[in-house]
Amino acid sequence: MPRLILFEIKKMLSRRVALAANVGVIVFLVAIMALNVTQNRTVSFAGEEFNGVEALAYNRSEDEKHAGVVTAERAAEDIAAYQEMVFSRIDRDAVGEMTGAAVYSLIAQSFSPEEVDDLYNVYWNWLLRPWRTAGEEPAQTAARVTPEMAANWYGATDDLTQDALDDGQGGMWEYSEDEREYWTAKQASVPEPIEYGYSGGWDNIVSCFAFLVFAILAVCITLAPVFSFEYQSGADAVVLATRHGRTRLVAAKVLAALAYATAYFAVCAAIVVGVSLAFYGADGFGLSIQSMSLSSPYPLTAGQAALVSVGLMYAACLGLACLTLALSSRARSTLPVFVTDVVLVLFTGLIPSAGVGILERALALFPLNFSNFTMLFSAFESYPVGLVVFDLIGMILVVYAVLAIVATPVAAASFRRHQVS
């Protein structure tokens, strides 16, 4: 059996299209991740420009300025310190009546570039997130926060979940009581106090794991001819007539496909993860995911969020690989298999939900749509199925597991029962 599996893998990779797709995607990933580092650019408010590795180091230093455990007492003290700093030179009451652009201009005129740099550290936006409205400058938010509000920072943070449920994704979805209980319980399980700091490498993995969609496409292209090529070339007459043509050979094809898909995905994932950790650093694995997005209701760390993201893409890869085998076993040409794979992997990312909640949730299950932090960890995508509520992470695992479990036997049975013409 091992020799048969190895033979099938060599057979799959010997085709020019498959070889081009596999090599091409790896080269693409190496190039895009290299650009992810070299094209990084940051300009401080003091006018200093940082590029490439220097920009990464600057961003790290900015996050580390406020690193540490954010207790309720620290949150209140930091907010008070920010208010004292910013309202020492501008009028607190006046900023509430000004536009965001006008407030920014006023601060730029009232403070030195170095001071403006400190006032616009991303930490302040993050800390004031419970009360911030769209388009507001941090100073405008701080002007509305009273000491009593600041002292209840964790309570205000908890309210972000309830506000999101009340909003119903902009009116697109009405959460049931079961869904509200699910998300409330999920948010309540978030450990406190939250730890803030630098987790650039893990953040970058979450930002870049969408590129693994191309690895899935390469896998599907490679597996599309596994069975259909036998029909197309007439080799099915020979293969199925051999002693083990309908038993071991079929099993070898399936096992070879899954082994190849796993190995190839691992190589592609290693490029994304390896470059991210090598240049951005592996610091911050244990930082709260809330340090990346305060509104996330998940009790995960930054590192766990990155691993979950890559793991979900792998689950989608296996599910779609098994579906490709099933389609290949039923089609006499590889063309319809190719077209189906491209539609499922790429084109589903181009379909707008048009504000329809059910369509939004259906589209969210496809790789290109769930491959971003907001959709996975802070969009409150839930799927009530009877008495059970699944979040997007759980539903992705269920859907692709079921797809693999159903499609794999279909592929094997279809080829075994194929009648040679």
Side-chain angles (χ1 to χ4, degrees):
M1 180 65 79
R3 289 185 178 180
L4 278 176
I5 293 174
L6 185 59
F7 172 76
E8 288 297 330
I9 292 176
K10 288 181 178 179
K11 188 176 177 181
M12 286 187 294
L13 296 177
S14 65
R15 299 184 179 99
R16 291 181 181 178
V17 173
L19 187 61
N22 282 265
V23 174
V25 166
I26 288 176
V27 171
F28 167 77
L29 287 176
V30 170
I32 203 70
M33 293 306 296
L35 290 173
N36 177 258
V37 174
T38 60
Q39 295 298 308
N40 209 291
R41 179 176 178 270
T42 299
V43 180
S44 71
F45 289 94
E48 296 178 282
E49 182 176 324
F50 304 92
N51 294 286
V53 177
E54 288 184 351
L56 302 184
Y58 173 80
N59 292 332
R60 175 196 288 266
S61 67
E62 288 296 291
D63 284 345
E64 289 178 343
K65 285 181 180 178
H66 299 280
V69 174
V70 183
T71 61
E73 293 74 20
R74 176 189 162 177
E77 290 172 1
D78 284 357
I79 290 172
Y82 180 82
Q83 291 171 327
E84 182 179 356
M85 182 167 48
V86 72
F87 298 127
S88 63
R89 301 185 196 174
I90 64 175
D91 186 82
R92 180 169 183 167
D93 296 326
V95 298
E97 301 175 2
M98 300 169 66
T99 64
V103 172
Y104 175 80
S105 178
L106 178 61
I107 290 176
Q109 294 171 13
S110 305
F111 295 88
S112 69
E114 292 76 13
E115 290 172 325
V116 175
D117 213 33
D118 288 335
L119 289 172
Y120 278 90
N121 187 290
V122 292
Y123 173 70
W124 302 118
N125 256 330
W126 178 84
L127 189 65
L128 295 166
R129 172 66 180 83
W131 306 283
R132 184 164 51 86
T133 60
E136 268 193 340
E137 294 291 304
Q140 291 176 294
T141 307
R144 293 187 287 101
V145 179
T146 64
E148 293 74 22
M149 293 166 65
N152 189 39
W153 188 76
Y154 273 99
T157 299
D158 293 344
D159 290 341
L160 290 174
T161 295
Q162 299 307 315
D163 292 342
L165 296 175
D166 291 339
D167 180 64
Q169 296 180 320
M172 182 173 63
W173 186 261
E174 184 175 350
Y175 292 96
S176 66
E177 285 302 315
D178 288 340
E179 289 176 281
R180 296 184 72 96
E181 289 178 9
Y182 175 86
W183 288 117
T184 301
K186 179 77 74 177
Q187 193 281 325
S189 68
V190 173
E192 296 179 4
I194 295 169
E195 186 175 1
Y196 182 86
Y198 176 79
S199 57
W202 307 106
D203 295 2
N204 196 63
I205 292 171
V206 177
S207 299
C208 294
F209 84 103
F211 293 123
L212 293 176
V213 165
F214 294 99
I216 295 177
L217 189 60
V219 166
C220 292
I221 290 173
T222 303
L223 299 184
V226 167
F227 292 111
S228 61
F229 185 77
E230 308 287 13
Y231 307 148
Q232 194 173 352
S233 64
D236 57 333
V238 177
V239 171
L240 293 172
T242 61
R243 181 180 178 184
H244 300 294
R246 296 180 186 272
T247 53
R248 286 189 192 175
L249 186 58
V250 176
K253 283 180 176 292
V254 173
L255 292 175
L258 297 180
Y260 151 75
T262 298
Y264 185 74
F265 184 88
V267 170
C268 293
I271 294 171
V272 174
V273 174
V275 172
S276 296
L277 298 184
F279 289 92
Y280 288 79
D283 314 52
F285 180 93
L287 292 181
S288 310
I289 191 177
Q290 285 70 34
S291 67
M292 300 164 68
S293 173
L294 193 58
S295 61
S296 175
Y298 285 91
L300 298 171
T301 67
Q304 289 170 342
L307 297 180
V308 166
S309 300
V310 175
L312 290 176
M313 197 63 81
Y314 173 61
C317 180
L318 284 186
L320 290 169
C322 293
L323 176 63
T324 300
L325 290 177
L327 294 172
S328 180
S329 70
R330 305 291 297 180
R332 290 184 174 275
S333 169
T334 57
L335 182 59
V337 184
F338 281 136
V339 172
T340 302
D341 286 335
V342 170
V343 169
L344 293 177
V345 176
L346 295 181
F347 285 2
T348 49
L350 305 176
I351 302 174
S353 63
V356 180
I358 294 178
L359 180 58
E360 156 88 2
R361 277 154 175 71
L363 291 172
L365 296 171
F366 292 95
L368 204 56
N369 293 320
F370 70 68
S371 57
N372 66 79
F373 181 93
T374 300
M375 181 63 78
L376 270 184
F377 300 112
S378 59
F380 293 86
E381 298 282 339
S382 51
Y383 301 77
V385 182
L387 299 177
V388 180
V389 174
F390 292 95
D391 60 8
L392 179 57
I393 294 173
M395 185 55 74
I396 289 170
L397 292 174
V398 169
V399 167
Y400 288 104
V402 170
L403 185 61
I405 292 170
V406 172
T408 304
V410 168
S414 296
F415 190 68
R416 283 172 183 158
R417 296 174 183 175
H418 171 67
Q419 298 300 314
V420 179
S421 56

